[in-house]
Amino acid sequence: MIERLSLRIRVFLFFVALAAGNLGAIIAGIYAGYHRIEDPAVFNAFIQGGIITGFTILGLITWVWFLFDKNVARPIERLAGGIRARTHAEVSAELDHTSGKYLGDLAPAALAVTQYLAETRDALSGAVERETARLETEKGRLETLLSDVPVGVLLCTADHQLVFYNGQAVDLLGRADTSQGPGLDRGLFEYLHHAPIEQAWARLRETDDHDAASDLLCATTGSGKVLAARMRLLAEPVGSDGTRPRPGYVLTLRDVSGDLASQAEREALIDEMFDRVRRPAANLLSVIGVVTEAGGALPEKLGGAMLAEVTALAQAVTELAARHDAARAEWRPLSLVRASDLTEAIRARAGAEGVVLDVAAQELILRCDGFELAALMASLAARLASGRQGLRVEIGEDGPGALIALAWQGPAVSVSELDRWLDAPLEVGMPDLTGRRVLATHATEIWPEPLAAGEARICLPLREVRRAHKRPAPVLRAVVYDFDLLLKDRPASLMASRLDDLTYVVFDTETTGLLPAQGDEIVQIAGVRIVNGRRLEKEVFDALVNPGRPIPSASTEVHGITDAMVADAPDIADVGRRFHAFAKGAVLVAHNAPFDVEFLRRKQAGIGAVFDHPTLDTVLLSAVVFGQGESHSLDALTHRLGITIPEEARHTAIGDTVATAEAFLKLLPSLKARGLETFGDVLREVRKHGRLLKDLNG
């Protein structure tokens, strides 16, 4: 228990023991003299002298203790806090050792140690910066590639928690506002319905093949958009005990809501067509049969011929309807492909076969399967290369659609020869991928035709096409990831959770005043998320709030928010719900947290959510690290930790939030250096400083 006491308390107890010892000695001396002195007058004088001596000794000890506390104990604590800040929080400012002038060589020695540490750190930082620059270049290339992937990409743990998402995933799953879109260490099923994903994950796990993939359709929980998805498991190393952990997975997403709607309309049209043809054919078949059997006016041969034709028509309609129903299960949405990209793909595939192709394309966007069309046209070009010259592929508008033409100098191709080519597989090892299948997928046909001047071509029309606008300048989209989350196990309880394993939301509010019980309201809420010891710059909450009452001019002078700025802002019920979702599953962190949390808790009924999050206060954490004798205002704390707050950001919710988050991240290493590794350790320690602020953790 003694080792938990601060230096100043230990020194105080030492002087208390010294005073008690002196008083005990005086009392013992008086008691011994009592038995030897027989004169009462002398004895009374002796007693008075002892009392005066005792008070004098107490006064001297108190005075010496005060000087010792002021000039020794406090400077030692200040030096210790400064050394820890420069050791663990990487503060670069020179250590203030002037307060330790009575500590002999201790203060200069501490200054020398911190200067040497700073020099060593600078030298190491130089080497690290050079290596970091190289890694940042590689990282930038990786992020550029991942940002440009034309589909949403999610990486999830076995518990379906997000550890990676790209900008396209934000567009598919929600708005760019991270309180409504995906976030690191959030549950995937907050955004997608769980059943298809869990079933696909279970199927892939049963195959025990990490190269296998599963295609599925899923829907968003909010907007109900239908997404085509592909899931692939992540390969996990076998543990030392021979067990394999449950694998995470990669999920790629594409919006097919419009494709499905268009396909449904086409299916309905075909169904209606079959229905309209089937019924008249059946009725006509019945009429002809009755007339023929009754010996009606129709000649026998004509009646028999009509009966045979109508029977064949009815059978054909029935067979075609059955084939159409069977083909529905194989339908898949087609992508939008630029005509220029398709021609380049055809030229590249033909070039791999040694065929030289010229290509030309108008600025069009086609709805097609670029892979299959490129394979078909390249295969046809390879067959035409023998005996023909000047092969070229052209894509241009053709009425409401587009026409893909493979032209050449030389004899035309017969229909029968083209049919044989269409029946052959286009890819080695893929016997089902034939030219016929490509035509069926695109609901089109193909034909050869001669041209003037000894030229010929093969034509393939496409129905869905639109003109392409000028390509916009590429915009880098946010790529947010933390692959270390894949390796972390979720702790069984909050109190036993390591500080590095927790997710934090650091927040701040600006208000109309300081008295929520007397009607003051929130005018702004800001928050940032800290995951795995890192502040996520892309996951920020910052919203103005209409307080429903005028903002006093004195408050506006502090935070700069006017009535006009919040006139069109949502009320606290709306903003509070969004902030509650933003902070879901996180530990709340604030500077003077009781003030901010009190405003939120008073609005819980209107918000429809309870702010019962575990909470940490940087005021109390500062007291743990630097001692209660120091100032713990946000300005003092950030100055002590070497954090600069731009003047224009001071006393704004987002500016103070970022400053508090940076201070919190710098305090964490100092807390761990004091042996405070878990949330429970920190909570028990900050409760010793309860006279500064009340505890919000129950």
Side-chain angles (χ1 to χ4, degrees), residues 175-520:
R175 299 198 305 268
D177 180 358
T178 55
S179 66
Q180 301 295 320
L184 286 184
D185 204 32
R186 294 187 186 276
L188 175 63
F189 300 147
E190 294 181 32
Y191 313 102
L192 296 175
H193 288 288
H194 64 91
I197 294 175
E198 288 180 329
Q199 291 170 5
W201 186 60
R203 287 197 303 269
L204 289 177
R205 288 189 64 200
E206 289 173 358
T207 64
D208 199 27
D209 180 7
H210 288 288
D211 292 328
S214 178
D215 292 319
L216 63 144
L217 287 178
C218 53
T220 59
T221 56
S223 60
K225 287 188 292 190
V226 179
L227 306 178
R230 168 164 288 192
M231 180 185 293
R232 190 183 298 274
L233 296 182
L234 296 173
E236 298 291 346
V238 178
S240 57
D241 57 354
T243 61
R244 187 187 297 273
R246 295 189 306 158
Y249 55 91
V250 177
L251 199 65
T252 56
L253 304 170
R254 185 162 56 91
D255 188 1
V256 295
S257 301
D259 298 325
L260 291 175
S262 300
Q263 178 68 10
E265 292 179 2
R266 287 193 291 269
E267 297 290 352
L269 178 61
I270 294 174
D271 287 343
E272 182 181 357
M273 179 189 70
F274 281 134
D275 188 62
R276 289 188 177 185
V277 173
R278 186 186 293 113
R279 291 182 181 180
N283 294 336
L284 184 58
L285 179 62
S286 299
V287 170
I288 294 176
V290 170
V291 172
T292 303
E293 291 175 1
L298 289 175
E300 181 179 353
K301 290 186 178 181
L302 177 59
M306 291 180 64
L307 181 61
E309 290 297 325
V310 173
T311 301
L313 174 61
Q315 291 176 346
V317 171
T318 302
E319 180 185 350
L320 289 173
R323 289 169 59 186
H324 170 65
D325 291 338
R328 286 180 177 178
E330 299 178 0
W331 178 85
R332 57 190 176 88
L334 299 176
S335 303
L336 293 175
V337 179
R338 286 183 176 269
S340 56
D341 293 341
L342 179 57
T343 54
E344 289 301 323
I346 295 171
R347 176 158 58 183
R349 289 184 68 90
E353 301 293 331
V355 179
V356 177
L357 275 179
D358 291 329
V359 296
Q362 294 181 0
E363 287 296 320
L364 303 175
I365 294 181
L366 316 173
R367 185 172 292 280
C368 63
D369 187 315
F371 170 79
E372 291 187 356
L373 283 181
L376 173 59
M377 301 308 293
S379 173
L380 294 176
R383 294 178 182 275
L384 291 167
S386 177
R388 296 173 177 85
Q389 298 178 345
L391 288 172
R392 65 185 185 276
V393 173
E394 300 172 343
I395 301 179
E397 285 187 279
D398 183 34
L403 184 70
I404 303 176
L406 174 58
W408 63 88
Q409 284 279 351
V413 175
S414 66
V415 173
S416 59
E417 187 176 16
L418 180 59
D419 286 340
R420 288 196 303 272
W421 292 352
L422 295 176
D423 291 331
L426 300 178
E427 289 285 321
V428 177
M430 298 178 62
D432 293 337
L433 183 58
T434 64
R436 299 275 183 208
R437 173 180 161 180
V438 175
L439 297 179
T441 298
H442 294 81
T444 188
E445 54 187 346
I446 192 170
W447 67 86
E449 62 181 26
L451 299 174
E455 290 192 342
R457 68 179 184 177
I458 293 175
C459 301
L460 190 156
L462 294 176
R463 298 181 188 179
E464 297 187 50
V465 63
R466 60 183 174 85
R467 279 205 163 271
H469 300 291
K470 184 178 180 181
R471 291 178 185 263
V475 178
L476 292 181
R477 310 290 296 278
V479 176
V480 184
Y481 60 91
D482 193 333
F483 297 126
D484 289 341
L485 293 174
L486 287 168
L487 308 176
K488 289 198 171 184
D489 295 325
R490 297 201 166 270
S493 68
L494 174 66
M495 299 297 285
S497 301
R498 296 176 63 253
L499 296 176
D500 289 339
D501 293 338
L502 293 171
T503 296
Y504 304 92
V505 167
V506 185
F507 79 105
D508 184 55
T509 63
E510 298 298 337
T511 63
T512 60
L514 306 178
L515 302 172
Q518 298 183 18
D520 281 321

Side-chain angles (χ1 to χ4, degrees), residues 496-565:
S497 301
R498 296 176 63 253
L499 296 176
D500 289 339
D501 293 338
L502 293 171
T503 296
Y504 304 92
V505 167
V506 185
F507 79 105
D508 184 55
T509 63
E510 298 298 337
T511 63
T512 60
L514 306 178
L515 302 172
Q518 298 183 18
D520 281 321
E521 301 285 349
I522 294 174
V523 297
Q524 186 182 23
I525 303 178
V528 297
R529 296 183 80 230
I530 294 175
V531 177
N532 204 21
R534 179 169 63 96
R535 178 167 68 87
L536 306 178
E537 295 186 0
K538 301 298 182 181
E539 297 189 17
V540 177
F541 187 97
D542 188 9
L544 291 172
V545 181
N546 189 330
R549 54 159 290 179
I551 302 175
S553 58
S555 299
T556 298
E557 290 178 4
V558 175
H559 48 59
I561 300 173
T562 64
D563 291 325
M565 294 170 63

